[in-house]
Amino acid sequence: MNKNTKLLLFTGSYATAEESGVQVFAFDGAAGGTLERLDTAEGITNPTFVNVDPSGLKLYAIGEKPNGAGGKEGEVITFAIEPETGKLTELSRIPTMSAAGTAQATTCHINRDADHKHIVVCSYHGGTVGLLALDEAGLPVALTDTAVHTGHSVRPGQDKPHPHSAIFSPDETFLFVSDLGLDLIRSYRIHEETGKFEVIGDTKLHEGAGPRHFVFHPDGKSAYVINELDSSVTSFKYDADTGALQTAYTISTLPDDYPADKNGCAEIAFSKDGKYLYGSNRGHDSIVVYAVNPETAELTVVQHESTRGGHPRHFTVTPDGAYLIVANRDGNNLVVFSLDAASGLLNFTGNTAELSKPVCVRPAAFLQ
């Protein structure tokens, strides 16, 4: 990390509106990976996922609100970030997908394109994906389209669609939505003139996989999805011209002696150089480390490292690639590991921070 930058961590969590659902920490890598809480934001119910725009000094958080008829709907809350102090100031709130009657259209994931034109949210319970337009100030102004998924798969809990994440391709030509309920990854384009989704195609996973989060290799030639329901990672070769994914390998996230039915996976992320891939196990409560062959997209297990807390819902690798920070939902903590660039191995630093039910942790570097 450049000594003229300041690294902040932004967390989302399960929380009532009276609790500190969003928190800001200063992270000091030079001091061995220490955490200092700088600010909190209340007034949001279940801000479980956040997205950071460091250049625009904004934080976007999802939240939920009642629809007045016994159901729940999603919303996006935008904050201004003061990088020196970490202070958050709420700028706007806008609803996302509506829910009829007692239905739920709450969201579980939020993403944003690099050109600051769009925000994309996924509704796990509603089976939908929402597209919101951003104005020139970077504020969401309108829901411009909703993609509705239909169908089911084979496992309990797969009786309907469950979109769980939406990830842009490296050049942002395509958007890939992992649907846990349908065992597929659906690809879209965003039509710039109409502000609508255009379906490109589906990539099927094996039955009962439950694809959750998805990531591209830094070289843009392969992609990887972590499968929540059967504790595996599936890799793909990627064609950037057509957006096509060609299935390559599937590998377990667990040691051979740990039963998959006692585990569920969550987050997936690369080391900075793309040599190693990391995934979280909830149940085994570990981070699995794989060595990556970028030519074939084959993975080889290197390590299973305890997360020092229950239910590692999310984690992040710092921009300099030196640390990995885990959000343990049931451990009520953030846990810091050093990341050895040569071996990919994780080592517990002893640094932690307590907070209630963290679900997401996002880093952002700011120039000082």
Side-chain angles (χ1 to χ4, degrees):
M1 187 72 62
N2 189 305
K3 64 181 180 180
N4 295 320
T5 62
K6 182 173 186 175
L7 186 66
L8 301 181
L9 299 177
F10 301 86
T11 64
S13 63
Y14 284 116
T16 66
E18 291 72 36
E19 295 174 312
S20 301
V22 175
Q23 302 197 21
V24 187
F25 294 83
F27 182 83
D28 191 341
T34 59
L35 295 163
E36 177 190 3
R37 185 180 283 105
L38 299 179
D39 197 19
T40 64
E42 295 74 38
I44 312 170
T45 300
N46 291 335
T48 54
F49 221 82
V50 298
N51 177 272
V52 193
D53 175 12
S55 64
L57 301 180
K58 290 183 178 61
L59 177 73
Y60 304 94
I62 59 173
E64 65 180 55
K65 61 188 182 70
N67 68 349
K72 297 177 182 178
E73 300 178 341
E75 59 181 354
V76 174
I77 303 90
T78 306
F79 295 91
I81 302 167
E82 205 297 303
E84 185 60 34
T85 63
K87 180 176 174 55
L88 298 176
T89 303
E90 185 173 328
L91 298 175
S92 72
R93 294 190 181 213
I94 184 172
T96 53
M97 289 84 77
S98 61
T102 59
Q104 290 194 51
T106 54
T107 53
C108 63
H109 189 269
I110 181 169
N111 202 358
R112 174 186 48 82
D113 69 324
D115 291 334
H116 313 285
K117 295 180 179 178
H118 307 287
I119 278 179
V120 183
V121 292
C122 294
S123 176
Y124 177 92
H125 293 291
T128 54
V129 185
L131 182 65
L132 292 93
L134 293 171
D135 66 14
E136 291 185 357
L139 299 178
V141 290
L143 180 72
T144 62
D145 199 17
T146 302
V148 179
H149 289 195
T150 60
H152 61 87
S153 192
V154 297
R155 284 181 181 258
Q158 290 186 310
D159 57 322
K160 61 181 181 179
H162 292 306
H164 218 308
S165 63
I167 303 299
F168 287 97
S169 61
D171 63 3
E172 299 202 336
T173 298
F174 304 103
L175 181 74
F176 293 87
V177 176
S178 299
D179 195 311
L180 182 148
L182 303 183
D183 285 329
L184 61 79
I185 299 169
R186 180 159 293 164
S187 59
Y188 293 91
R189 277 197 188 97
I190 298 174
H191 194 286
E192 294 299 331
E193 293 183 2
T194 64
K196 304 292 184 183
F197 289 119
E198 298 178 353
V199 178
I200 302 302
D202 291 343
T203 302
K204 289 291 294 180
L205 276 293
H206 54 281
E207 287 189 343
R212 179 184 173 100
H213 284 184
F214 181 80
V215 65
F216 281 91
H217 190 277
D219 70 8
K221 297 178 181 179
S222 58
Y224 304 75
V225 68
I226 195 161
N227 299 311
E228 176 178 334
L229 299 183
D230 76 346
S231 298
S232 68
V233 170
T234 299
S235 65
F236 309 89
K237 300 294 288 181
Y238 176 61
D239 186 329
D241 293 329
T242 65
L245 297 170
Q246 180 183 352
T247 303
Y249 295 92
T250 296
I251 186 172
S252 174
T253 64
L254 294 168
D256 292 339
D257 60 353
Y258 195 90
D261 62 358
K262 297 186 181 300
N263 190 71
C265 292
E267 177 63 343
I268 187 169
F270 270 102
S271 61
K272 183 179 180 181
D273 59 11
K275 292 181 179 179
Y276 298 96
L277 181 68
Y278 300 84
S280 66
N281 287 306
R282 301 173 297 172
H284 190 249
D285 295 339
S286 66
I287 300 295
V288 59
V289 184
Y290 302 104
V292 181
N293 182 332
E295 298 302 318
T296 65
E298 187 173 5
L299 302 173
T300 304
V301 175
V302 172
Q303 181 187 27
H304 290 93
E305 175 67 17
S306 168
T307 57
R308 273 73 173 179
H311 202 94
R313 183 68 176 257
H314 196 256
F315 65 88
T316 191
V317 176
T318 55
D320 62 1
Y323 293 93
L324 185 146
I325 303 148
V326 180
N328 288 306
R329 189 197 69 183
D330 295 351
N332 296 308
N333 60 7
L334 298 180
V335 179
V336 182
F337 298 86
S338 62
L339 191 161
D340 183 79
S343 67
L345 296 176
L346 302 177
N347 289 286
F348 178 45
T349 64
N351 294 315
T352 65
E354 293 184 5
L355 69 167
S356 178
K357 299 177 183 176
V359 177
C360 179
V361 53
R362 291 290 195 191
F366 298 86
L367 292 175
Q368 291 184 300

